[in-house]
Amino acid sequence: MKGRIGFIPGAHRIEFLEYDVPEPAAGAVIAAVTQTNVCGSEVHMWKGEFGRKGITPGHEMSGQILSLGAGVKIDYAGAPVREGDRIAPVYYTVCNRCANCAAGNQAACTEKVVGARHPDEPPHFTGTFSTHYYIRPGQHFYRVPDNVPDLIAASANCAMSQVYWSLDRGRLNYGETLLVLGAGGLGLHAMAIAKARGATVVAIDGVDLRLRQAKAFGADEVIDMREYPEFEDRQKRLKSIIGGWPDAVLEVAGVPEAFNDALRFVRIGGRVLELGNISMGLSAPTFPAAITFKSMEIIGVAMYPPQYLKKSLDFLSRQIERFPYLELCDANFRCRKRRKRWIRASIGK
């Protein structure tokens, strides 16, 4: 059986390569990719900001089990699995042995393994812009709840699990106020989770669609950057809404200036959760004295402990009727002969 997988050899180029689909090794799984999303990370790849020697794109997916390697009878939550089941895999493996894993922060595993740089490396199908996906032995995967469509399940794989973990690391509690800078995919998922746990949520963005979606996903109020273009004006508007300063600020706009805004917005003793800035080549002057005199915490988050994918899928199953998750997809594309629906890049990171 043949399959195809995408490869980005350089900026603004993508090609699809064909390989034989391998048999799964003991402990491995072969899945058919039924849904893959365009995350903001792939936009950076497309622009040439990541992988200057080429890179294999795609990590948000849901799929269907085609074949199980010897010994695979359950997913990583203990649910029985068989061929034909819908699943979502964590797109990397963790060692569970390094100091960070032992401390419960597998997101910071020092021996993390993601996909291959080039699909020529067996087992070939380690990115999700593909017809098939190879789940390696030790790579977490979970059955998708029956009431969660593939369209929604795929986004749990990265965006949702990452903000879920960040809100837990930031100890966001009932009755606290969360300010979200950026109402893309990460921000919208965070708003829903924060609202479900009883927080007050305010979002800042400058795009009509995103502002409307922010309200639908739990934001109590939104601030339009076009209406308040200067930071001081946004600051005054925020204070008029919540009567003070937020307990936590989630930065998912992905621009260095937004990080500086987060430092200035957060209350004394508050928490800044930094997820959006992932391009090493981007920088901006910052305010170290604000960190000192505000006694704030800054928590950087990339990836998540694998079990947070299960938490996210369960959250989606419980809240599928409450929030308009289906509206997150507004563009469909075909990948060769297999149809896929890709969430547009602009609602990713």
Side-chain angles (χ1 to χ4, degrees), residues 11 17 52 89 132 154-155 185 208 210 224 242 264 282 288 291 299 307 324:
L17 309 175
R52 297 191 182 279
H132 301 79
S155 68
D208 286 332
R210 292 184 173 198
D224 189 337
I242 64 176
R264 299 169 72 183
L282 301 180
I291 300 171
I299 302 171
Q307 67 269 22

Side-chain angles (χ1 to χ4, degrees), residues 3-34:
R4 293 181 180 273
I5 181 168
F7 178 69
I8 296 177
H12 306 112
R13 297 160 55 203
I14 188 167
E15 56 191 29
F16 284 84
L17 309 175
E18 186 174 270
Y19 303 92
D20 289 322
V21 177
E23 292 296 320
V29 177
I30 297 291
V33 179
T34 55

Side-chain angles (χ1 to χ4, degrees), residues 86-308:
R86 296 189 308 127
I87 58 168
V90 176
Y91 63 96
Y92 48 86
T93 60
V94 297
C95 73
N96 289 314
R97 293 185 297 273
C98 70
N100 290 333
C101 284
N105 186 7
Q106 294 95 334
C109 175
T110 58
E111 303 296 328
K112 196 183 285 107
V113 177
V114 193
R117 178 65 65 179
H118 195 287
D120 279 352
E121 299 177 35
H124 310 302
F125 298 93
T126 59
T128 66
F129 284 13
S130 58
T131 55
H132 301 79
Y133 186 73
Y134 191 96
I135 301 172
R136 298 178 293 274
Q139 185 175 354
H140 287 61
F141 70 94
Y142 300 98
R143 280 179 52 182
V144 175
D146 290 341
N147 68 329
V148 178
D150 290 346
L151 179 74
I152 308 306
S155 68
N157 200 310
C158 170
M160 186 175 191
S161 297
Q162 194 162 227
V163 296
Y164 203 144
W165 170 234
S166 72
L167 294 179
D168 280 358
R169 282 202 67 197
R171 307 179 307 282
L172 184 73
N173 294 317
Y174 176 88
E176 289 195 308
T177 299
L178 174 70
L179 173 64
V180 180
L181 304 181
L186 288 162
L188 295 174
H189 279 303
M191 294 174 212
I193 296 168
K195 179 50 61 177
R197 65 175 61 175
T200 296
V201 180
V202 179
I204 299 180
D205 206 294
V207 178
D208 286 332
L209 174 62
R210 292 184 173 198
L211 293 168
R212 291 195 302 271
Q213 288 182 324
K215 295 287 287 185
F217 275 85
D220 296 279
E221 295 288 347
V222 297
I223 298 175
D224 189 337
M225 291 188 66
R226 296 166 300 181
E227 187 177 350
Y228 302 94
E230 301 299 325
F231 174 82
E232 290 74 15
D233 296 328
R234 296 193 295 276
Q235 193 176 45
K236 289 178 183 177
R237 176 58 181 148
L238 177 63
K239 187 174 183 179
S240 73
I241 293 172
I242 64 176
W245 310 118
D247 301 290
V249 180
L250 176 71
E251 191 289 296
V252 285
V255 293
E257 293 79 8
F259 174 69
N260 283 337
D261 284 358
L263 300 182
R264 299 169 72 183
F265 275 127
V266 73
R267 69 167 173 84
I268 294 174
R271 291 92 71 195
V272 171
L273 312 177
E274 173 54 50
L275 279 73
N277 282 284
I278 59 173
S279 292
M280 299 299 290
L282 301 180
S283 63
T286 191
F287 307 95
I291 300 171
T292 304
F293 286 109
K294 280 191 169 183
S295 298
M296 70 176 72
E297 295 180 61
I298 300 176
I299 302 171
V301 173
M303 303 183 180
Y304 51 89
Q307 67 269 22
Y308 270 76

